[in-house]
Amino acid sequence: MAGSQEIRSKIKSVQNTRKITKAMEMVAASKMRKAQDRMRAARPYAEKIRRLAANLSQANVSEYSHAFLARSKVEVVKRVGLILVTTDKGLCGGLNTNILRMVLNTMRQWQADGATDIRVTCIGNKGLGFMQRMGANVISQIIGLGDSPHVEKLVGPIKVMIDAFRDGELDAVHIAYTRFINTMKQEPVIEPLLPLSGERMGTPERGWDYLYEPDAQTVIDELLVRYVETLIYQGVAENLASEQSARMVAMKAATDNAGSVIKELQLVYNKARQAAITTEISEIVGGAAAIAG
Amino acid sequence: MAMTIHVDVVSAEESIFSGLAEFVVLPGEAGELGILPGHMPLMTRIKAGAVRIKLPNDKEEVIFVASGMLEVQPNLITVLADTAIRGADLDEARAMEAKKAAGEAMANRASAMDYGRAQAELAEATAQLAAIDRLRKRRH
């Protein structure tokens, strides 16, 4: 029975692996549901603030126009900001690889188009590690958002980027994250964030002539910062839902693979066992024949 | 029946209240605001405090908000509640913290952006994924 002990212990170890991947799959499935709920829960606020911003952008052009909205079209975007949303942990298939590849190509394109200054804000460990190894200019970061991202944690890192744009140090800011389409499909996207485009906000329902307290400028400033934060928060929430569903799919594949590996090993084990028995019997028969003879 | 106005209280993370009300009291930045149906369009910041919503059935809903924005249209009140306690200096401190974290991490970075290396790293990861895919297909 040489080798069969080894095969048995190998089977044991693959079975243990399968237990772990199975557990991770189930954890990811339940987290995915929560992440999707969170995504949905964030929608009413996003919808409200989008409408408000749209109303404002129309109602107030004459009184005060904000740096986020009004910016004379820059021909060549020389200084670009990028907010990169990735996951903190791995084991989620090609999710991070896909977004990072897209980001890398886009950054190359920017440079080819004449961008000289690219600054990055990293949300999530994977993107941060990648940007560091690449030697990109990371101006702010946040890692370890956990399973329930809070706006509170995002405020600081985002402010660094927004301030840079407001002060005219950046011509444009983009956000890169993985959009959640459904459980099986997630799509990496890079979207322009600042300056805010009218398209994204939609057309206002009707131009209200608001009364501002204390004054228009303060109120619009506050509102637009919140609007930008909301857009980013939505990206983070979608990314989280994408992460969990990608992990669930990856872990399901791993569990299935472990299952087929166990099957194959079991076959090999059975064969080895049968061979050992056959040898033993033929030895006994041979021995008996020798005595009888 | 008394006149009513639609009230929505939402935060970035969830919808808190949505329904009709007869009268709403809010902690406006310049002082308490009492809003009845038909109020003129108004936009302001609100401070931390209680939002009291008088419902048509004579009950009262009280919601505490950290701070936020208030928008009033003649037939609609929207309260955008912040989930975090905000303030210029507080936000500044948060920004500084995020900057510092990035600065420390960037201290030992390569001098120039190294696209080649990044590309190689990604190619490796992609190859691994492709290999896993092929393995799976072969098995089935």
Side-chain angles (χ1 to χ4, degrees):
Chain A
M1 291 275 281
S4 68
Q5 194 57 44
E6 280 164 40
I7 300 172
R8 249 204 333 241
S9 68
K10 187 83 196 160
I11 291 178
K12 199 91 197 148
S13 104
V14 179
Q15 274 173 338
N16 285 338
T17 310
R18 184 171 63 172
K19 269 183 211 155
I20 294 169
T21 54
K22 183 88 195 154
M24 285 181 81
E25 179 194 335
M26 288 191 291
V27 169
S30 99
K31 280 187 179 170
M32 182 189 74
R33 237 163 285 137
K34 278 189 206 139
Q36 274 175 282
D37 288 346
R38 201 165 294 118
M39 225 168 73
R40 257 175 243 124
R43 255 176 220 156
Y45 183 90
E47 182 52 30
K48 291 268 175 227
I49 203 157
R50 187 190 59 74
R51 273 220 304 269
L52 257 176
N55 285 352
L56 265 185
S57 67
Q58 293 297 308
N60 230 287
V61 184
S62 55
E63 280 180 53
Y64 166 66
S65 72
H66 193 270
F68 290 179
L69 298 167
R71 174 150 302 194
S72 51
K73 261 268 188 252
V74 188
E75 287 298 317
V76 181
V77 179
K78 274 193 162 19
R79 299 157 304 171
V80 200
L82 176 74
I83 298 174
L84 172 62
V85 187
T86 54
T87 69
D88 274 328
K89 291 174 192 149
L91 292 180
C92 48
L95 191 85
N96 289 317
T97 315
N98 288 341
I99 185 78
L100 289 176
R101 181 156 15 128
M102 192 172 182
V103 164
L104 187 67
N105 289 338
T106 310
M107 282 169 89
R108 266 199 169 158
Q109 189 59 47
W110 284 339
Q111 284 212 325
D113 291 345
T116 49
D117 183 6
I118 301 177
R119 299 182 198 184
V120 189
T121 287
C122 291
I123 302 175
N125 212 355
K126 291 285 164 186
L128 179 68
F130 180 76
M131 284 298 159
Q132 273 170 3
R133 285 193 295 279
M134 193 175 138
N137 183 9
V138 179
I139 56 167
S140 62
Q141 62 164 52
I142 176 80
I143 55 171
L145 281 177
D147 295 325
S148 47
H150 290 298
V151 179
E152 189 176 358
K153 282 192 175 168
L154 295 175
V155 169
I158 293 171
K159 189 174 160 57
V160 177
M161 191 57 95
I162 293 178
D163 282 354
F165 180 82
R166 200 205 322 255
D167 298 344
E169 290 172 29
L170 293 172
D171 297 325
V173 177
H174 294 253
I175 179 167
Y177 65 96
T178 307
R179 180 179 285 150
F180 180 85
I181 296 171
N182 57 43
T183 315
M184 299 304 289
K185 194 165 160 57
Q186 299 90 35
E187 188 182 66
V189 287
I190 297 179
E191 291 173 345
L193 191 67
L194 292 171
L196 292 168
S197 70
E199 270 166 59
R200 189 159 184 170
M201 284 191 267
T203 44
E205 41 205 14
R206 114 167 224 217
W208 296 103
D209 222 352
Y210 289 108
L211 203 74
Y212 296 100
E213 249 176 55
D215 57 86
Q217 186 169 341
T218 323
V219 173
I220 294 171
D221 275 359
E222 293 259 326
L223 189 88
L224 287 181
V225 167
R226 276 175 180 74
Y227 177 59
V228 173
E229 281 169 7
T230 308
L231 291 176
I232 297 168
Y233 177 78
Q234 269 194 313
V236 171
E238 286 223 11
N239 198 70
L240 188 71
S242 300
E243 174 190 355
Q244 297 301 349
S245 54
R247 180 165 298 135
M248 189 184 82
V249 172
M251 287 302 118
K252 180 157 177 30
T255 308
D256 292 351
N257 281 347
S260 53
V261 167
I262 290 170
K263 239 186 226 163
E264 278 169 26
L265 283 176
Q266 191 71 52
L267 226 76
V268 174
Y269 172 73
N270 288 350
K271 269 186 200 153
R273 183 172 154 274
Q274 193 58 54
I277 291 169
T278 313
T279 324
E280 210 168 311
I281 288 176
S282 70
E283 271 167 15
I284 292 168
V285 171
I291 292 166
Chain B
M1 195 183 129
M3 270 173 63
T4 54
I5 182 165
H6 193 89
V7 182
D8 282 320
V9 182
V10 290
S11 81
E13 285 159 30
E14 62 186 335
S15 176
I16 300 166
F17 175 88
S18 178
L20 292 171
E22 285 181 357
F23 181 55
V24 182
V25 181
L26 304 124
E29 199 181 31
E32 287 276 292
L33 288 164
I35 294 165
L36 285 162
H39 194 283
M40 83 172 292
L42 167 77
M43 205 182 278
T44 184
R45 270 196 305 211
I46 51 176
K47 293 186 299 192
V51 174
R52 296 210 311 276
I53 304 166
K54 195 168 170 255
L55 304 173
N57 58 9
D58 269 341
K59 285 197 179 127
E60 201 182 49
E61 186 88 25
V62 181
I63 300 161
F64 287 92
V65 290
S67 61
M69 305 287 294
L70 166 73
E71 186 216 16
V72 181
Q73 291 175 9
N75 49 16
L76 177 70
I77 299 176
T78 309
V79 179
L80 299 169
D82 289 336
T83 41
I85 297 167
R86 304 293 292 264
D89 42 353
L90 208 57
D91 285 3
E92 194 59 48
R94 288 192 185 111
M96 286 309 293
E97 205 175 302
K99 241 186 204 166
K100 214 180 105 199
E104 279 165 13
M106 295 300 292
N108 49 3
R109 75 173 178 133
S111 53
M113 263 206 272
D114 192 348
Y115 280 116
R117 195 174 156 188
Q119 186 100 39
E121 188 181 315
L122 276 181
E124 195 180 321
T126 314
Q128 275 173 3
L129 284 169
I132 291 167
D133 244 24
R134 266 203 303 283
L135 268 174
R136 291 202 66 209
K137 284 213 184 83
R138 208 179 57 194
R139 196 164 278 142
H140 294 303

